[in-house]
Amino acid sequence: MMISSKEQEAPFPSPSLIPSTPRWWSKDTVAVVTGANKGIGYALVKRLAEMGLTVILTARDFQRGSKAAQALRSQGLHVHFFLLDVSDPASIKAFVSLFNINFGSLDILVNNAGVTFNEIDENSVEHAETVIKTNFYGAKLLTEALLPMFRRSPSTSRILNISSRLGSLNKVRNPNIKRILESENLSEEHINGVVGLFLESVKNGTWEREGWPELWTDYAVSKLALNAYTRVLAKRYEGCDISVNCFCPGFTQTSMTRGRGKHTSEDAADVGARLLLLRPEVLPTAQFFLWGSSSASIVHSKL
């Protein structure tokens, strides 16, 4: 799944259709959402819990995460809080161990945790290493650590990576990088190599003239890598009862956008939940879903 300029709008079910469809999930269905003490992550935890799933809300700040989970539990929702900083391998290891002790099996993983240090109209790469470490490597390391715990049920396990259109392949102006990422034989080693080249160009001060994405460059590269990893992972588990997709929620009103945006976190979470809870027989894999002109219009393309 590499997003290109060939994206096409496709029909997508109305939000009202999910409650009336046969539910493949129950309270025993376990979902993990990272970076969920606020914004889209928090709204997604709430929506999934409202739909009757057991949801683990994770956050890197203990007090904020605990407070968020308690607010949802006070509404009668089945939500648990676990501490998790995806940028810290030790934190991932501790989280996975605790999750294994308390739950053992997983059905849904939403890699939502992400950072940027730029204002909307800025493009500094001062914190590029932290952005890449969190947005790409954090999601990748956590996913790999949790893969053995997926239930692999007939309803199909689901991984949804919250991504961005900024990570579209057509934002890359360097033909060599584009050729690597377009390859049918794309591997994790290739993706790591591309990320390494970017960080080296940042270190050398050459990134502006080397054809990387022009807007929020470090964030865009982190999502470019995440999209590419989604494609590789989906191919690895094709036909193995596990679906791997990306979702770009569009310009959403969150702290990352300083409250600016075209729709709310709740709106984005509603669409994300619909993607996650699609019936097994219509659930795709290796797709990039993009917020369209309205919540009922979703653009998708093959990764």
Side-chain angles (χ1 to χ4, degrees):
M1 145 185 130
M2 293 311 299
I3 331 161
S4 71
S5 57
K6 298 179 181 178
E7 295 162 342
Q8 298 292 325
E9 289 200 9
F12 197 78
S14 164
S16 62
L17 292 183
I18 276 212
S20 62
T21 58
R23 295 193 176 195
W24 58 266
W25 68 90
S26 69
K27 190 177 73 171
D28 295 327
T29 303
V30 178
V32 169
V33 182
T34 67
N37 63 283
K38 62 181 180 179
I40 295 173
Y42 179 82
L44 194 48
V45 168
K46 182 179 181 181
R47 187 71 183 112
L48 291 174
E50 288 173 342
M51 298 300 294
L53 288 77
T54 293
V55 190
I56 290 86
L57 180 158
T58 80
R60 60 183 177 178
D61 183 280
F62 182 83
Q63 290 193 348
R64 292 175 182 174
S66 296
K67 184 177 179 180
Q70 181 55 43
L72 295 174
R73 285 195 294 267
S74 69
Q75 300 174 45
L77 300 176
H78 209 55
V79 174
H80 302 264
F81 167 63
F82 283 1
L83 188 68
L84 172 62
D85 181 351
V86 298
S87 69
D88 181 0
S91 180
I92 291 176
K93 183 177 180 180
F95 165 78
V96 172
S97 177
L98 191 61
F99 176 86
N100 189 35
I101 292 171
N102 285 272
F103 294 94
S105 296
L106 177 65
D107 300 284
I108 293 173
L109 171 63
V110 182
N111 284 308
N112 170 74
V115 297
T116 182
F117 295 87
N118 284 312
E119 297 294 334
I120 290 178
D121 56 353
E122 293 179 347
N123 193 31
S124 167
V125 294
E126 180 183 355
H127 302 284
E129 188 170 343
T130 299
V131 172
I132 295 291
K133 188 176 182 180
T134 303
N135 299 0
F136 169 53
Y137 283 117
K140 179 178 180 293
L141 288 173
L142 177 64
T143 299
E144 296 291 341
L146 286 174
L147 277 169
M149 299 183 192
F150 272 94
R151 212 182 302 268
R152 308 287 175 83
S153 65
S155 60
T156 309
S157 299
R158 295 123 194 266
I159 297 173
L160 187 65
N161 294 321
I162 305 301
S163 189
S164 172
R165 191 172 192 164
L166 293 175
S168 301
L169 193 58
N170 58 19
K171 306 296 184 185
V172 179
R173 295 163 292 126
N174 184 315
N176 293 326
I177 297 300
K178 188 176 292 188
R179 184 165 53 250
I180 292 171
L181 295 176
E182 284 178 330
S183 172
E184 289 297 319
N185 298 315
L186 181 68
S187 67
E188 292 179 39
E189 289 72 21
H190 292 139
I191 301 169
N192 291 338
V194 167
V195 170
L197 286 175
F198 171 66
L199 292 176
E200 187 67 22
S201 71
V202 169
K203 182 179 179 181
N204 296 334
T206 59
W207 61 276
E208 290 182 288
R209 61 175 183 267
E210 292 184 355
W212 300 101
E214 294 181 304
L215 299 176
W216 271 18
T217 302
D218 54 2
Y219 182 85
V221 172
S222 74
K223 296 303 185 179
L224 182 74
L226 183 62
N227 293 341
Y229 172 67
T230 303
R231 173 186 165 195
V232 169
L233 194 62
K235 185 176 181 180
R236 187 201 307 175
Y237 287 97
E238 188 174 9
C240 296
D241 286 335
I242 187 165
S243 166
V244 192
N245 295 298
C246 283
F247 171 47
C248 169
F251 192 28
T252 309
Q253 297 162 12
T254 65
S255 60
M256 188 176 286
T257 63
R258 299 298 186 265
R260 296 164 62 182
K262 297 182 178 180
H263 47 261
T264 67
S265 295
E266 289 74 20
D267 294 331
D270 183 70
V271 175
R274 287 191 282 136
L275 290 171
L276 285 167
L277 300 180
L278 285 170
R279 298 190 312 276
E281 64 269 23
V282 298
L283 180 68
T285 193
Q287 296 288 323
F288 182 92
F289 291 93
L290 169 67
W291 186 284
S293 56
S294 71
S295 61
S297 175
I298 302 297
V299 177
H300 76 110
S301 64
K302 195 73 174 176
L303 281 167

